[in-house]
Amino acid sequence: MDKMRPIWRVGYAYVPNQRMENLYSPAKAIRAGTVFPELDITMDEYERGLFNGK
């Protein structure tokens, strides 16, 4: 019976550090959904590859 069970593997994530330089205020962060202004972009900007804060 044990031979029929799938073997589950642990996944690993790579999450780069965010620089904590320019941050939104708590109220603006709630509205934007992020505390980092670099991540506050439209879906159109994201799809065009402008997700690096430019």
Side-chain angles (χ1 to χ4, degrees):
M1 188 73 170
D2 287 76
K3 292 181 182 180
M4 303 297 284
R5 283 179 159 180
I7 298 173
W8 300 102
R9 306 252 185 227
V10 175
Y12 295 94
Y14 170 72
V15 181
N17 291 329
Q18 290 282 346
R19 289 183 292 176
M20 303 291 275
E21 295 174 354
N22 300 320
L23 301 177
Y24 282 154
S25 68
K28 188 167 185 176
I30 293 292
R31 287 192 304 273
T34 180
V35 72
F36 303 105
E38 297 85 17
L39 299 179
D40 187 14
I41 62 172
T42 65
M43 187 56 103
D44 182 55
E45 291 169 326
Y46 178 79
E47 289 173 349
R48 290 186 292 138
L50 302 177
F51 49 86
N52 59 358
K54 296 181 181 176

